[in-house]
PDB file of all heavy atoms in Angstrom:
ATOM      1  N   VAL A   1     -21.141  -2.901   9.966  1.00 96.00           N
ATOM      2  CA  VAL A   1     -20.058  -2.750  10.887  1.00 96.00           C
ATOM      3  C   VAL A   1     -19.884  -1.281  11.150  1.00 96.00           C
ATOM      4  O   VAL A   1     -19.829  -0.450  10.179  1.00 96.00           O
ATOM      5  CB  VAL A   1     -18.809  -3.562  10.411  1.00 96.00           C
ATOM      6  CG1 VAL A   1     -18.194  -2.852   9.174  1.00 96.00           C
ATOM      7  CG2 VAL A   1     -17.849  -3.687  11.415  1.00 96.00           C
ATOM      8  N   PRO A   2     -19.733  -0.946  12.366  1.00 97.00           N
ATOM      9  CA  PRO A   2     -19.520   0.530  12.739  1.00 97.00           C
ATOM     10  C   PRO A   2     -18.305   1.190  12.121  1.00 97.00           C
ATOM     11  O   PRO A   2     -18.204   2.348  11.785  1.00 97.00           O
ATOM     12  CB  PRO A   2     -19.476   0.605  14.224  1.00 97.00           C
ATOM     13  CG  PRO A   2     -20.185  -0.658  14.656  1.00 97.00           C
ATOM     14  CD  PRO A   2     -19.885  -1.731  13.613  1.00 97.00           C
ATOM     15  N   LEU A   3     -17.180   0.387  12.162  1.00 97.00           N
ATOM     16  CA  LEU A   3     -15.903   0.954  11.572  1.00 97.00           C
ATOM     17  C   LEU A   3     -15.329  -0.012  10.579  1.00 97.00           C
ATOM     18  O   LEU A   3     -15.134  -1.201  10.835  1.00 97.00           O
ATOM     19  CB  LEU A   3     -14.860   1.110  12.668  1.00 97.00           C
ATOM     20  CG  LEU A   3     -13.497   1.393  12.361  1.00 97.00           C
ATOM     21  CD1 LEU A   3     -13.359   2.690  11.626  1.00 97.00           C
ATOM     22  CD2 LEU A   3     -12.570   1.469  13.653  1.00 97.00           C
ATOM     23  N   LEU A   4     -15.110   0.426   9.356  1.00 98.00           N
ATOM     24  CA  LEU A   4     -14.567  -0.384   8.297  1.00 98.00           C
ATOM     25  C   LEU A   4     -13.101   0.176   8.023  1.00 98.00           C
ATOM     26  O   LEU A   4     -12.970   1.342   7.706  1.00 98.00           O
ATOM     27  CB  LEU A   4     -15.413  -0.323   7.014  1.00 98.00           C
ATOM     28  CG  LEU A   4     -14.894  -1.038   5.792  1.00 98.00           C
ATOM     29  CD1 LEU A   4     -14.704  -2.513   6.104  1.00 98.00           C
ATOM     30  CD2 LEU A   4     -15.871  -0.788   4.674  1.00 98.00           C
ATOM     31  N   ILE A   5     -12.139  -0.625   8.112  1.00 98.00           N
ATOM     32  CA  ILE A   5     -10.697  -0.298   7.839  1.00 98.00           C
ATOM     33  C   ILE A   5     -10.288  -0.991   6.652  1.00 98.00           C
ATOM     34  O   ILE A   5     -10.328  -2.282   6.585  1.00 98.00           O
ATOM     35  CB  ILE A   5      -9.826  -0.688   9.060  1.00 98.00           C
ATOM     36  CG1 ILE A   5     -10.352   0.019  10.372  1.00 98.00           C
ATOM     37  CG2 ILE A   5      -8.376  -0.233   8.850  1.00 98.00           C
ATOM     38  CD1 ILE A   5      -9.732  -0.521  11.571  1.00 98.00           C
ATOM     39  N   LEU A   6      -9.739  -0.287   5.620  1.00 98.00           N
ATOM     40  CA  LEU A   6      -9.198  -0.810   4.453  1.00 98.00           C
ATOM     41  C   LEU A   6      -7.701  -0.725   4.539  1.00 98.00           C
ATOM     42  O   LEU A   6      -7.068   0.366   4.540  1.00 98.00           O
ATOM     43  CB  LEU A   6      -9.685   0.038   3.280  1.00 98.00           C
ATOM     44  CG  LEU A   6      -9.654  -0.609   1.939  1.00 98.00           C
ATOM     45  CD1 LEU A   6     -10.340  -1.935   1.823  1.00 98.00           C
ATOM     46  CD2 LEU A   6     -10.222   0.382   0.887  1.00 98.00           C
ATOM     47  N   ASP A   7      -7.068  -1.856   4.727  1.00 98.00           N
ATOM     48  CA  ASP A   7      -5.610  -2.052   4.791  1.00 98.00           C
ATOM     49  C   ASP A   7      -5.003  -2.208   3.442  1.00 98.00           C
ATOM     50  O   ASP A   7      -5.209  -3.232   2.816  1.00 98.00           O
ATOM     51  CB  ASP A   7      -5.248  -3.212   5.712  1.00 98.00           C
ATOM     52  CG  ASP A   7      -3.738  -3.357   5.951  1.00 98.00           C
ATOM     53  OD1 ASP A   7      -2.949  -2.558   5.362  1.00 98.00           O
ATOM     54  OD2 ASP A   7      -3.368  -4.230   6.699  1.00 98.00           O
ATOM     55  N   LEU A   8      -4.286  -1.174   2.999  1.00 98.00           N
ATOM     56  CA  LEU A   8      -3.771  -1.066   1.587  1.00 98.00           C
ATOM     57  C   LEU A   8      -2.223  -1.426   1.559  1.00 98.00           C
ATOM     58  O   LEU A   8      -1.597  -1.117   0.610  1.00 98.00           O
ATOM     59  CB  LEU A   8      -4.040   0.248   0.963  1.00 98.00           C
ATOM     60  CG  LEU A   8      -5.468   0.684   0.919  1.00 98.00           C
ATOM     61  CD1 LEU A   8      -5.576   2.100   0.356  1.00 98.00           C
ATOM     62  CD2 LEU A   8      -6.239  -0.385   0.090  1.00 98.00           C
ATOM     63  N   THR A   9      -1.830  -2.124   2.563  1.00 97.00           N
ATOM     64  CA  THR A   9      -0.449  -2.507   2.639  1.00 97.00           C
ATOM     65  C   THR A   9       0.126  -3.292   1.338  1.00 97.00           C
ATOM     66  O   THR A   9       1.189  -3.101   0.975  1.00 97.00           O
ATOM     67  CB  THR A   9      -0.022  -3.373   3.893  1.00 97.00           C
ATOM     68  OG1 THR A   9      -0.510  -2.608   5.040  1.00 97.00           O
ATOM     69  CG2 THR A   9       1.371  -3.631   4.035  1.00 97.00           C
ATOM     70  N   GLY A  10      -0.814  -4.152   0.761  1.00 97.00           N
ATOM     71  CA  GLY A  10      -0.507  -4.971  -0.264  1.00 97.00           C
ATOM     72  C   GLY A  10      -0.908  -4.322  -1.680  1.00 97.00           C
ATOM     73  O   GLY A  10      -0.887  -4.947  -2.710  1.00 97.00           O
ATOM     74  N   VAL A  11      -1.132  -3.009  -1.680  1.00 97.00           N
ATOM     75  CA  VAL A  11      -1.543  -2.221  -2.879  1.00 97.00           C
ATOM     76  C   VAL A  11      -0.404  -1.273  -3.220  1.00 97.00           C
ATOM     77  O   VAL A  11      -0.159  -0.334  -2.536  1.00 97.00           O
ATOM     78  CB  VAL A  11      -2.841  -1.526  -2.675  1.00 97.00           C
ATOM     79  CG1 VAL A  11      -3.150  -0.686  -3.923  1.00 97.00           C
ATOM     80  CG2 VAL A  11      -3.945  -2.444  -2.347  1.00 97.00           C
ATOM     81  N   ASP A  12       0.204  -1.476  -4.382  1.00 93.00           N
ATOM     82  CA  ASP A  12       1.265  -0.515  -4.850  1.00 93.00           C
ATOM     83  C   ASP A  12       0.829   0.323  -6.061  1.00 93.00           C
ATOM     84  O   ASP A  12       1.625   1.147  -6.544  1.00 93.00           O
ATOM     85  CB  ASP A  12       2.541  -1.280  -5.100  1.00 93.00           C
ATOM     86  CG  ASP A  12       2.393  -2.317  -6.191  1.00 93.00           C
ATOM     87  OD1 ASP A  12       1.371  -2.392  -6.836  1.00 93.00           O
ATOM     88  OD2 ASP A  12       3.405  -3.011  -6.480  1.00 93.00           O
ATOM     89  N   PHE A  13      -0.413   0.166  -6.489  1.00 95.00           N
ATOM     90  CA  PHE A  13      -0.870   0.934  -7.593  1.00 95.00           C
ATOM     91  C   PHE A  13      -2.381   1.164  -7.396  1.00 95.00           C
ATOM     92  O   PHE A  13      -3.175   0.235  -7.120  1.00 95.00           O
ATOM     93  CB  PHE A  13      -0.617   0.277  -8.932  1.00 95.00           C
ATOM     94  CG  PHE A  13      -1.295   1.028 -10.082  1.00 95.00           C
ATOM     95  CD1 PHE A  13      -0.630   2.107 -10.679  1.00 95.00           C
ATOM     96  CD2 PHE A  13      -2.428   0.631 -10.569  1.00 95.00           C
ATOM     97  CE1 PHE A  13      -1.249   2.825 -11.719  1.00 95.00           C
ATOM     98  CE2 PHE A  13      -3.092   1.324 -11.661  1.00 95.00           C
ATOM     99  CZ  PHE A  13      -2.482   2.360 -12.191  1.00 95.00           C
ATOM    100  N   CYS A  14      -2.878   2.403  -7.710  1.00 95.00           N
ATOM    101  CA  CYS A  14      -4.285   2.719  -7.846  1.00 95.00           C
ATOM    102  C   CYS A  14      -4.438   3.761  -8.818  1.00 95.00           C
ATOM    103  O   CYS A  14      -3.568   4.703  -9.021  1.00 95.00           O
ATOM    104  CB  CYS A  14      -4.849   2.985  -6.474  1.00 95.00           C
ATOM    105  SG  CYS A  14      -4.369   4.563  -5.747  1.00 95.00           S
ATOM    106  N   ASP A  15      -5.594   3.741  -9.559  1.00 96.00           N
ATOM    107  CA  ASP A  15      -5.931   4.848 -10.511  1.00 96.00           C
ATOM    108  C   ASP A  15      -7.122   5.564 -10.068  1.00 96.00           C
ATOM    109  O   ASP A  15      -7.611   5.456  -8.940  1.00 96.00           O
ATOM    110  CB  ASP A  15      -6.019   4.213 -11.925  1.00 96.00           C
ATOM    111  CG  ASP A  15      -7.251   3.393 -12.104  1.00 96.00           C
ATOM    112  OD1 ASP A  15      -8.094   3.286 -11.142  1.00 96.00           O
ATOM    113  OD2 ASP A  15      -7.403   2.788 -13.200  1.00 96.00           O
ATOM    114  N   SER A  16      -7.681   6.384 -10.894  1.00 96.00           N
ATOM    115  CA  SER A  16      -8.820   7.241 -10.510  1.00 96.00           C
ATOM    116  C   SER A  16     -10.059   6.350 -10.182  1.00 96.00           C
ATOM    117  O   SER A  16     -10.945   6.814  -9.338  1.00 96.00           O
ATOM    118  CB  SER A  16      -9.225   8.185 -11.724  1.00 96.00           C
ATOM    119  OG  SER A  16      -9.497   7.439 -12.871  1.00 96.00           O
ATOM    120  N   SER A  17     -10.182   5.138 -10.732  1.00 96.00           N
ATOM    121  CA  SER A  17     -11.255   4.246 -10.349  1.00 96.00           C
ATOM    122  C   SER A  17     -11.167   3.914  -8.824  1.00 96.00           C
ATOM    123  O   SER A  17     -12.226   3.798  -8.124  1.00 96.00           O
ATOM    124  CB  SER A  17     -11.280   2.987 -11.129  1.00 96.00           C
ATOM    125  OG  SER A  17     -11.472   3.256 -12.462  1.00 96.00           O
ATOM    126  N   ALA A  18     -10.021   3.688  -8.387  1.00 97.00           N
ATOM    127  CA  ALA A  18      -9.802   3.373  -6.946  1.00 97.00           C
ATOM    128  C   ALA A  18     -10.129   4.622  -6.071  1.00 97.00           C
ATOM    129  O   ALA A  18     -10.770   4.463  -5.047  1.00 97.00           O
ATOM    130  CB  ALA A  18      -8.295   2.999  -6.634  1.00 97.00           C
ATOM    131  N   LEU A  19      -9.621   5.754  -6.539  1.00 97.00           N
ATOM    132  CA  LEU A  19      -9.954   6.974  -5.713  1.00 97.00           C
ATOM    133  C   LEU A  19     -11.524   7.208  -5.687  1.00 97.00           C
ATOM    134  O   LEU A  19     -12.082   7.519  -4.606  1.00 97.00           O
ATOM    135  CB  LEU A  19      -9.388   8.224  -6.420  1.00 97.00           C
ATOM    136  CG  LEU A  19      -7.836   8.144  -6.524  1.00 97.00           C
ATOM    137  CD1 LEU A  19      -7.298   9.447  -7.161  1.00 97.00           C
ATOM    138  CD2 LEU A  19      -7.116   7.824  -5.230  1.00 97.00           C
ATOM    139  N   GLY A  20     -12.188   6.953  -6.808  1.00 97.00           N
ATOM    140  CA  GLY A  20     -13.658   7.016  -6.816  1.00 97.00           C
ATOM    141  C   GLY A  20     -14.286   6.041  -5.906  1.00 97.00           C
ATOM    142  O   GLY A  20     -15.256   6.433  -5.088  1.00 97.00           O
ATOM    143  N   ALA A  21     -13.734   4.859  -5.813  1.00 97.00           N
ATOM    144  CA  ALA A  21     -14.308   3.756  -4.940  1.00 97.00           C
ATOM    145  C   ALA A  21     -14.110   4.243  -3.409  1.00 97.00           C
ATOM    146  O   ALA A  21     -14.952   4.051  -2.657  1.00 97.00           O
ATOM    147  CB  ALA A  21     -13.602   2.493  -5.250  1.00 97.00           C
ATOM    148  N   PHE A  22     -12.926   4.798  -3.167  1.00 98.00           N
ATOM    149  CA  PHE A  22     -12.661   5.178  -1.769  1.00 98.00           C
ATOM    150  C   PHE A  22     -13.655   6.291  -1.375  1.00 98.00           C
ATOM    151  O   PHE A  22     -14.190   6.248  -0.235  1.00 98.00           O
ATOM    152  CB  PHE A  22     -11.197   5.739  -1.593  1.00 98.00           C
ATOM    153  CG  PHE A  22     -10.119   4.711  -1.899  1.00 98.00           C
ATOM    154  CD1 PHE A  22      -8.861   5.176  -2.253  1.00 98.00           C
ATOM    155  CD2 PHE A  22     -10.312   3.360  -1.784  1.00 98.00           C
ATOM    156  CE1 PHE A  22      -7.824   4.311  -2.562  1.00 98.00           C
ATOM    157  CE2 PHE A  22      -9.305   2.460  -2.008  1.00 98.00           C
ATOM    158  CZ  PHE A  22      -8.019   2.944  -2.385  1.00 98.00           C
ATOM    159  N   VAL A  23     -13.810   7.276  -2.189  1.00 97.00           N
ATOM    160  CA  VAL A  23     -14.799   8.373  -1.923  1.00 97.00           C
ATOM    161  C   VAL A  23     -16.177   7.827  -1.780  1.00 97.00           C
ATOM    162  O   VAL A  23     -16.899   8.308  -0.878  1.00 97.00           O
ATOM    163  CB  VAL A  23     -14.600   9.437  -2.996  1.00 97.00           C
ATOM    164  CG1 VAL A  23     -15.703  10.557  -2.840  1.00 97.00           C
ATOM    165  CG2 VAL A  23     -13.240  10.158  -2.944  1.00 97.00           C
ATOM    166  N   ASP A  24     -16.504   6.980  -2.701  1.00 97.00           N
ATOM    167  CA  ASP A  24     -17.844   6.379  -2.676  1.00 97.00           C
ATOM    168  C   ASP A  24     -18.159   5.641  -1.313  1.00 97.00           C
ATOM    169  O   ASP A  24     -19.225   5.773  -0.666  1.00 97.00           O
ATOM    170  CB  ASP A  24     -18.071   5.422  -3.871  1.00 97.00           C
ATOM    171  CG  ASP A  24     -19.565   4.953  -3.961  1.00 97.00           C
ATOM    172  OD1 ASP A  24     -20.493   5.631  -3.566  1.00 97.00           O
ATOM    173  OD2 ASP A  24     -19.666   3.739  -4.453  1.00 97.00           O
ATOM    174  N   ILE A  25     -17.237   4.803  -0.934  1.00 97.00           N
ATOM    175  CA  ILE A  25     -17.387   4.089   0.316  1.00 97.00           C
ATOM    176  C   ILE A  25     -17.441   5.019   1.529  1.00 97.00           C
ATOM    177  O   ILE A  25     -18.278   4.836   2.383  1.00 97.00           O
ATOM    178  CB  ILE A  25     -16.303   3.044   0.517  1.00 97.00           C
ATOM    179  CG1 ILE A  25     -16.426   1.915  -0.521  1.00 97.00           C
ATOM    180  CG2 ILE A  25     -16.287   2.462   1.894  1.00 97.00           C
ATOM    181  CD1 ILE A  25     -17.728   1.142  -0.478  1.00 97.00           C
ATOM    182  N   HIS A  26     -16.536   5.991   1.529  1.00 97.00           N
ATOM    183  CA  HIS A  26     -16.512   6.971   2.607  1.00 97.00           C
ATOM    184  C   HIS A  26     -17.842   7.709   2.670  1.00 97.00           C
ATOM    185  O   HIS A  26     -18.367   7.841   3.799  1.00 97.00           O
ATOM    186  CB  HIS A  26     -15.363   7.956   2.361  1.00 97.00           C
ATOM    187  CG  HIS A  26     -15.293   9.045   3.371  1.00 97.00           C
ATOM    188  ND1 HIS A  26     -14.981   8.844   4.675  1.00 97.00           N
ATOM    189  CD2 HIS A  26     -15.498  10.377   3.322  1.00 97.00           C
ATOM    190  CE1 HIS A  26     -14.976   9.886   5.404  1.00 97.00           C
ATOM    191  NE2 HIS A  26     -15.248  10.859   4.557  1.00 97.00           N
ATOM    192  N   ARG A  27     -18.384   8.122   1.572  1.00 97.00           N
ATOM    193  CA  ARG A  27     -19.692   8.859   1.551  1.00 97.00           C
ATOM    194  C   ARG A  27     -20.814   7.964   2.017  1.00 97.00           C
ATOM    195  O   ARG A  27     -21.599   8.385   2.905  1.00 97.00           O
ATOM    196  CB  ARG A  27     -19.955   9.309   0.106  1.00 97.00           C
ATOM    197  CG  ARG A  27     -21.314  10.080   0.050  1.00 97.00           C
ATOM    198  CD  ARG A  27     -21.721  10.225  -1.425  1.00 97.00           C
ATOM    199  NE  ARG A  27     -21.738   9.093  -2.210  1.00 97.00           N
ATOM    200  CZ  ARG A  27     -22.672   8.118  -2.248  1.00 97.00           C
ATOM    201  NH1 ARG A  27     -23.718   8.234  -1.475  1.00 97.00           N
ATOM    202  NH2 ARG A  27     -22.542   7.028  -3.042  1.00 97.00           N
ATOM    203  N   ARG A  28     -20.864   6.684   1.545  1.00 96.00           N
ATOM    204  CA  ARG A  28     -21.973   5.807   1.908  1.00 96.00           C
ATOM    205  C   ARG A  28     -21.889   5.542   3.470  1.00 96.00           C
ATOM    206  O   ARG A  28     -22.923   5.507   4.146  1.00 96.00           O
ATOM    207  CB  ARG A  28     -21.796   4.446   1.237  1.00 96.00           C
ATOM    208  CG  ARG A  28     -22.122   4.452  -0.281  1.00 96.00           C
ATOM    209  CD  ARG A  28     -21.960   3.035  -0.827  1.00 96.00           C
ATOM    210  NE  ARG A  28     -21.948   3.118  -2.269  1.00 96.00           N
ATOM    211  CZ  ARG A  28     -22.480   2.063  -3.027  1.00 96.00           C
ATOM    212  NH1 ARG A  28     -23.007   1.049  -2.406  1.00 96.00           N
ATOM    213  NH2 ARG A  28     -22.349   2.068  -4.279  1.00 96.00           N
ATOM    214  N   ARG A  29     -20.678   5.314   3.972  1.00 97.00           N
ATOM    215  CA  ARG A  29     -20.535   5.017   5.404  1.00 97.00           C
ATOM    216  C   ARG A  29     -20.852   6.187   6.293  1.00 97.00           C
ATOM    217  O   ARG A  29     -21.452   6.137   7.266  1.00 97.00           O
ATOM    218  CB  ARG A  29     -19.148   4.509   5.632  1.00 97.00           C
ATOM    219  CG  ARG A  29     -18.959   3.066   4.928  1.00 97.00           C
ATOM    220  CD  ARG A  29     -17.818   2.364   5.372  1.00 97.00           C
ATOM    221  NE  ARG A  29     -17.826   2.067   6.833  1.00 97.00           N
ATOM    222  CZ  ARG A  29     -18.568   1.176   7.493  1.00 97.00           C
ATOM    223  NH1 ARG A  29     -19.373   0.419   6.882  1.00 97.00           N
ATOM    224  NH2 ARG A  29     -18.509   1.122   8.890  1.00 97.00           N
ATOM    225  N   SER A  30     -20.398   7.402   5.775  1.00 97.00           N
ATOM    226  CA  SER A  30     -20.738   8.644   6.528  1.00 97.00           C
ATOM    227  C   SER A  30     -22.262   8.866   6.562  1.00 97.00           C
ATOM    228  O   SER A  30     -22.836   9.206   7.609  1.00 97.00           O
ATOM    229  CB  SER A  30     -20.090   9.902   5.895  1.00 97.00           C
ATOM    230  OG  SER A  30     -18.669   9.752   6.012  1.00 97.00           O
ATOM    231  N   ASP A  31     -22.988   8.663   5.465  1.00 96.00           N
ATOM    232  CA  ASP A  31     -24.404   8.836   5.354  1.00 96.00           C
ATOM    233  C   ASP A  31     -25.120   7.881   6.257  1.00 96.00           C
ATOM    234  O   ASP A  31     -26.138   8.184   6.788  1.00 96.00           O
ATOM    235  CB  ASP A  31     -24.932   8.596   3.963  1.00 96.00           C
ATOM    236  CG  ASP A  31     -24.456   9.767   2.978  1.00 96.00           C
ATOM    237  OD1 ASP A  31     -23.966  10.804   3.431  1.00 96.00           O
ATOM    238  OD2 ASP A  31     -24.663   9.630   1.665  1.00 96.00           O
ATOM    239  N   ALA A  32     -24.547   6.698   6.543  1.00 95.00           N
ATOM    240  CA  ALA A  32     -25.099   5.693   7.340  1.00 95.00           C
ATOM    241  C   ALA A  32     -24.678   5.894   8.851  1.00 95.00           C
ATOM    242  O   ALA A  32     -25.126   5.058   9.732  1.00 95.00           O
ATOM    243  CB  ALA A  32     -24.797   4.317   6.898  1.00 95.00           C
ATOM    244  N   GLY A  33     -23.861   6.874   9.090  1.00 96.00           N
ATOM    245  CA  GLY A  33     -23.428   7.060  10.519  1.00 96.00           C
ATOM    246  C   GLY A  33     -22.313   6.132  10.863  1.00 96.00           C
ATOM    247  O   GLY A  33     -22.028   5.891  12.039  1.00 96.00           O
ATOM    248  N   HIS A  34     -21.606   5.543   9.878  1.00 97.00           N
ATOM    249  CA  HIS A  34     -20.482   4.639  10.168  1.00 97.00           C
ATOM    250  C   HIS A  34     -19.121   5.257   9.811  1.00 97.00           C
ATOM    251  O   HIS A  34     -19.117   6.218   9.038  1.00 97.00           O
ATOM    252  CB  HIS A  34     -20.682   3.312   9.438  1.00 97.00           C
ATOM    253  CG  HIS A  34     -21.918   2.552   9.829  1.00 97.00           C
ATOM    254  ND1 HIS A  34     -22.146   2.161  11.166  1.00 97.00           N
ATOM    255  CD2 HIS A  34     -22.865   2.042   9.087  1.00 97.00           C
ATOM    256  CE1 HIS A  34     -23.359   1.529  11.184  1.00 97.00           C
ATOM    257  NE2 HIS A  34     -23.791   1.451   9.936  1.00 97.00           N
ATOM    258  N   ARG A  35     -18.053   4.696  10.287  1.00 97.00           N
ATOM    259  CA  ARG A  35     -16.724   5.223  10.011  1.00 97.00           C
ATOM    260  C   ARG A  35     -15.970   4.379   9.029  1.00 97.00           C
ATOM    261  O   ARG A  35     -16.284   3.251   8.830  1.00 97.00           O
ATOM    262  CB  ARG A  35     -15.909   5.195  11.293  1.00 97.00           C
ATOM    263  CG  ARG A  35     -16.470   6.218  12.316  1.00 97.00           C
ATOM    264  CD  ARG A  35     -15.735   6.212  13.715  1.00 97.00           C
ATOM    265  NE  ARG A  35     -14.319   6.260  13.575  1.00 97.00           N
ATOM    266  CZ  ARG A  35     -13.498   5.567  14.389  1.00 97.00           C
ATOM    267  NH1 ARG A  35     -13.840   4.878  15.331  1.00 97.00           N
ATOM    268  NH2 ARG A  35     -12.165   5.721  14.126  1.00 97.00           N
ATOM    269  N   PHE A  36     -15.017   5.034   8.324  1.00 97.00           N
ATOM    270  CA  PHE A  36     -14.167   4.353   7.357  1.00 97.00           C
ATOM    271  C   PHE A  36     -12.764   4.934   7.484  1.00 97.00           C
ATOM    272  O   PHE A  36     -12.552   6.156   7.725  1.00 97.00           O
ATOM    273  CB  PHE A  36     -14.852   4.644   5.976  1.00 97.00           C
ATOM    274  CG  PHE A  36     -13.940   4.246   4.773  1.00 97.00           C
ATOM    275  CD1 PHE A  36     -13.774   2.810   4.482  1.00 97.00           C
ATOM    276  CD2 PHE A  36     -13.284   5.119   3.912  1.00 97.00           C
ATOM    277  CE1 PHE A  36     -13.046   2.384   3.492  1.00 97.00           C
ATOM    278  CE2 PHE A  36     -12.562   4.723   2.862  1.00 97.00           C
ATOM    279  CZ  PHE A  36     -12.412   3.309   2.686  1.00 97.00           C
ATOM    280  N   ALA A  37     -11.735   4.090   7.319  1.00 98.00           N
ATOM    281  CA  ALA A  37     -10.391   4.582   7.305  1.00 98.00           C
ATOM    282  C   ALA A  37      -9.484   3.749   6.406  1.00 98.00           C
ATOM    283  O   ALA A  37      -9.819   2.555   6.219  1.00 98.00           O
ATOM    284  CB  ALA A  37      -9.854   4.459   8.804  1.00 98.00           C
ATOM    285  N   LEU A  38      -8.476   4.361   5.875  1.00 98.00           N
ATOM    286  CA  LEU A  38      -7.489   3.784   5.090  1.00 98.00           C
ATOM    287  C   LEU A  38      -6.219   3.638   5.851  1.00 98.00           C
ATOM    288  O   LEU A  38      -5.800   4.596   6.595  1.00 98.00           O
ATOM    289  CB  LEU A  38      -7.236   4.602   3.771  1.00 98.00           C
ATOM    290  CG  LEU A  38      -8.330   4.816   2.858  1.00 98.00           C
ATOM    291  CD1 LEU A  38      -7.874   5.792   1.780  1.00 98.00           C
ATOM    292  CD2 LEU A  38      -8.840   3.559   2.201  1.00 98.00           C
ATOM    293  N   THR A  39      -5.491   2.511   5.696  1.00 98.00           N
ATOM    294  CA  THR A  39      -4.194   2.363   6.355  1.00 98.00           C
ATOM    295  C   THR A  39      -3.195   1.677   5.474  1.00 98.00           C
ATOM    296  O   THR A  39      -3.640   1.120   4.429  1.00 98.00           O
ATOM    297  CB  THR A  39      -4.309   1.402   7.636  1.00 98.00           C
ATOM    298  OG1 THR A  39      -4.724   0.088   7.223  1.00 98.00           O
ATOM    299  CG2 THR A  39      -5.376   1.952   8.637  1.00 98.00           C
ATOM    300  N   GLY A  40      -1.932   1.663   5.875  1.00 98.00           N
ATOM    301  CA  GLY A  40      -0.928   1.039   5.160  1.00 98.00           C
ATOM    302  C   GLY A  40      -0.652   1.527   3.719  1.00 98.00           C
ATOM    303  O   GLY A  40      -0.294   0.741   2.869  1.00 98.00           O
ATOM    304  N   LEU A  41      -0.784   2.814   3.557  1.00 97.00           N
ATOM    305  CA  LEU A  41      -0.585   3.320   2.199  1.00 97.00           C
ATOM    306  C   LEU A  41       0.919   3.200   1.775  1.00 97.00           C
ATOM    307  O   LEU A  41       1.850   3.674   2.422  1.00 97.00           O
ATOM    308  CB  LEU A  41      -0.909   4.839   2.141  1.00 97.00           C
ATOM    309  CG  LEU A  41      -2.348   5.182   2.522  1.00 97.00           C
ATOM    310  CD1 LEU A  41      -2.582   6.680   2.313  1.00 97.00           C
ATOM    311  CD2 LEU A  41      -3.296   4.412   1.642  1.00 97.00           C
TER     312      LEU A  41
END
């Protein structure tokens, strides 16, 4: 999918594992020429 949006409205806690996952997905998608966004923080 060209644009992946992660809606975090229902997330009230994240730790370093979550941050690592966000960065990993962002990197993978950028490398593939696709976009990624976080919403609802």
